[in-house]
Amino acid sequence: MMRVFFALLSCAAALVVPVLGLATQPDPVTSDSLSDVHLNVVPRTDDERGRVAKITALPTEFDTAWPFEENAGGAQTVRARNTADAFSQPAANLNFAQELDFKVGNGMFRRIWVSAPASTLASDGLGPLFNARSCQRCHLKDGRGHPPEGPDDTAVSMFLRVSIPAPEPVDIQRYIAGTHATAPDPTYGTQLQDFSLPGQAPEYRLQIDYDEVEVPLSGGETATLRRPTYTAADLGYGPLHPGAMLSPRIAPQMIGMGLLEAIPAEEILARVDPDDADGDGISGKPQIVWSDAHDAPMLGRFGHKAGNPTVLEQTASAFAGDIGISNPLHTAGSGECTDLQTDCTAALHGGDPEQGGFEIDQVGLDLVSFYSRTLAVPARRDVDAPQVLHGRQVFFDSGCAACHQPNHVTHRLEGEDPASFQLIWPYTDMLLHDMGPGLADNRPEGRADGQEWRTAPLWGIGLTKTVSGHTQFLHDGRARSLLEAVLWHGGEAQAARDIVVAMPPEDRVALIRFLESL
């Protein structure tokens, strides 16, 4: 019988809404209580803590490559491929049985779901409302999505999240201090789906209008940014709630997720500085969410605002919201349909008694999660090239590394877990930061307000064109280049952004060259 590897998941302008005075109370969740309950952790010894501190201390010399930085994903790193499959490789340290699970999970990740009832019982249950028919349709080649490229292009790898302000927490028993009280739109739920099965109306059509913004740079150079306006057009079920808050999201790249999941929570929380006590202008805070899988508060790690704590829960929510596939964590056979969408909720679904009544069961969910956790990070390129070395120093001197923390060491984990005790270079602190009004979606999510976003990992970013065929970045793909992405930074990153604007042009070129090497 095929062995299902499941070691990492051992248990299977900003809108701020004050809630009953709770949002201003001290956060009761600490590194002691916010345990990594989803991991089979072997506690670090004092000797290991000293080794970790030594190896993650950043060098002060920039004229040579640093030890191990070429291996961005530690022992999981694979050679960088100059093809669209660069993000689709299994981690280099998988054993034979794990490689088999990876391949089966990959098949399920690519599976095209069909409507119920169908002769292919293992693949029916699509929708009735959905954003894509497979995981692969959004995360093509395991890379990042993009906005529609014109009025005739679909938004298959992009959608709008939606919520409304709430007078109090929806679930007071699971309320976490600092969480903004919101609720799903009563008609459209928590995200808008632009596809539907025959006989059902899609919820909307995504419309994006851009205004051009010119930014003067030093040396007589200029850059042009595009400022988007989003409209939920052609609504299929009547108007949105008057207080509806919309947030655009493109599908992120998939690499290294299991390594990010294995970074110790205490190390992430050690960098929390919500009041900027050290005066560096950076005040990252943790996203803390309730885990349905573990029935406990956990550190949010995945999603543009870190709304999910584990790869399993990120996977389960994507199946339900994006494809309309029920699973042990999201049990509704009608996916994201709301009670007001009566034809949708009454439609046949593909729940199979042999799968516990779900459209994908726990075994399938575990396999897709394992695949997602073990997609390899490609090796860095040109780490010792003079321009790359100079660009790395510009990156640090400009203050970018204050949020894009270069390296971490993952937990030591029991068994043959491929994420165990790896020195990795994702360039993220995994915290929420205020990115200013320019990038604001004005929609709070959990403890993140309408201007706060999780620091995006930068590993693999230089291979975006190779894998995805475009260079569109940020949470909504508005930036058409890495330089545009930098220039959109505001809030806590405003000072670093202004340094980039004012620096000599050759330093900007070197900075981008460094980012392209990641």
Side-chain angles (χ1 to χ4, degrees):
M1 178 180 292
M2 180 181 64
R3 183 179 67 88
V4 178
F5 182 84
F6 197 38
L8 278 180
L9 295 167
S10 58
C11 297
L15 174 61
V16 178
V17 183
V19 181
L20 306 178
L22 295 176
T24 57
Q25 292 184 359
D27 185 357
V29 183
T30 66
S31 58
D32 293 329
S33 63
L34 195 66
S35 61
D36 293 318
V37 297
H38 59 304
L39 301 173
N40 294 320
V41 174
V42 178
R44 285 181 181 171
T45 64
D46 289 341
D47 176 66
E48 286 178 339
R49 289 179 181 275
R51 288 164 53 199
V52 167
K54 183 176 180 180
I55 202 168
T56 56
L58 297 176
T60 57
E61 300 296 327
F62 290 88
D63 55 350
T64 60
W66 296 333
F68 313 113
E69 70 169 327
E70 184 176 10
N71 295 324
Q76 293 196 10
T77 308
V78 296
R79 66 176 177 84
R81 289 163 170 79
N82 191 29
T83 72
D85 292 323
F87 288 173
S88 299
Q89 306 305 312
N93 62 347
L94 299 187
N95 61 36
F96 180 80
Q98 292 165 355
E99 285 190 19
L100 177 59
D101 289 343
F102 177 92
K103 291 175 182 177
V104 177
N106 184 18
M108 299 188 72
F109 189 84
R110 293 168 175 264
R111 172 181 289 174
I112 303 297
W113 294 84
V114 299
S115 59
S119 58
T120 53
L121 295 179
S123 300
D124 69 351
L126 175 68
L129 303 175
F130 55 97
N131 295 108
R133 294 183 59 195
S134 71
C135 306
Q136 178 78 193
R137 289 285 180 92
C138 285
H139 303 277
L140 186 61
K141 292 293 185 179
D142 306 294
R144 68 181 68 235
H146 61 84
E149 298 177 351
D152 297 326
D153 189 19
T154 65
V156 71
S157 60
M158 184 178 189
F159 64 82
L160 295 177
R161 290 211 181 278
V162 59
S163 56
I164 64 173
E168 61 184 22
V170 174
D171 186 352
I172 192 66
Q173 298 303 317
R174 297 183 174 189
Y175 177 77
I176 296 170
T179 298
H180 302 283
T182 61
D185 183 275
T187 302
Y188 291 93
T190 61
Q191 74 184 61
L192 296 175
Q193 285 89 15
D194 52 353
F195 293 103
S196 63
L197 297 179
Q200 306 282 343
E203 289 187 317
Y204 84 123
R205 175 178 58 83
L206 176 59
Q207 177 179 320
I208 311 175
D209 298 296
Y210 292 105
D211 292 324
E212 298 290 320
V213 180
E214 191 170 276
V215 179
L217 306 173
S218 63
E221 298 181 349
T222 61
T224 302
L225 308 182
R226 54 178 188 174
R227 179 186 292 117
T229 300
Y230 298 97
T231 303
D234 301 335
L235 290 167
Y237 298 86
L240 290 158
H241 185 279
M245 302 173 289
L246 302 176
S247 179
R249 307 291 173 87
I250 63 167
Q253 63 187 31
M254 298 286 294
I255 58 174
M257 293 178 68
L259 295 169
L260 296 176
E261 186 175 51
I263 299 172
E266 68 172 311
E267 291 191 7
I268 296 172
L269 295 172
R271 296 178 63 88
V272 169
D273 186 17
D275 300 318
D276 191 20
D278 60 7
D280 66 352
I282 307 300
S283 52
K285 73 181 186 185
Q287 175 71 287
I288 301 172
V289 296
W290 192 269
S291 167
D292 291 327
H294 302 287
D295 200 32
M298 292 181 64
L299 182 69
R301 297 174 186 253
F302 301 105
H304 291 291
K305 294 205 176 194
N308 272 310
T310 65
V311 176
L312 175 71
E313 287 169 274
Q314 179 74 10
T315 302
S317 63
F319 265 117
D322 300 349
I323 314 177
I325 299 300
S326 63
N327 57 73
L329 292 181
H330 298 272
T331 59
S334 54
E336 256 269 301
C337 300
T338 68
D339 291 341
L340 295 180
Q341 296 169 326
T342 53
D343 289 345
C344 187
T345 56
L348 292 173
H349 64 83
D352 186 347
E354 294 184 0
Q355 297 184 138
F358 306 117
E359 293 161 340
I360 185 171
D361 63 8
Q362 189 67 53
V363 172
L365 200 59
D366 293 348
L367 283 165
V368 177
S369 299
F370 180 72
Y371 170 76
S372 301
R373 294 201 317 271
T374 53
L375 282 163
V377 179
R380 286 273 311 278
R381 283 86 54 213
D382 303 324
V383 293
D384 55 357
Q387 191 177 44
V388 171
L389 293 173
H390 178 54
R392 184 184 60 182
Q393 180 161 8
V394 173
F395 182 87
F396 279 80
D397 290 348
S398 301
C400 303
C403 297
H404 290 283
Q405 181 184 349
N407 57 18
H408 302 266
V409 172
T410 61
H411 274 298
R412 184 180 291 283
L413 302 168
E414 294 179 350
E416 297 180 68
D417 196 303
S420 179
F421 215 52
Q422 302 296 315
L423 172 64
I424 61 175
W425 299 79
Y427 284 83
T428 174
D429 61 6
M430 302 291 284
L431 296 175
L432 300 171
H433 293 278
D434 181 347
M435 295 300 293
L439 287 178
D441 66 351
N442 299 314
R443 175 186 174 272
E445 180 179 329
R447 302 171 89 236
D449 68 27
Q451 293 190 177
E452 291 176 320
W453 302 91
R454 183 201 66 162
T455 304
L458 298 181
W459 51 13
I461 199 167
L463 290 171
T464 299
K465 177 71 171 179
T466 299
V467 172
S468 301
H470 65 79
T471 54
Q472 299 187 57
F473 303 105
L474 302 176
H475 66 279
D476 57 359
R478 70 177 66 186
R480 295 161 294 187
S481 67
L482 290 171
L483 178 59
E484 285 188 30
V486 171
L487 296 177
W488 271 112
H489 284 50
E492 295 173 46
Q494 184 70 44
R497 178 263 186 200
D498 291 347
I499 290 173
V500 173
V501 168
M503 66 177 50
E506 58 270 22
D507 286 355
R508 276 196 301 273
V509 172
L511 172 64
I512 300 305
R513 182 71 182 86
F514 164 69
L515 295 175
E516 290 172 344
S517 77
L518 295 179

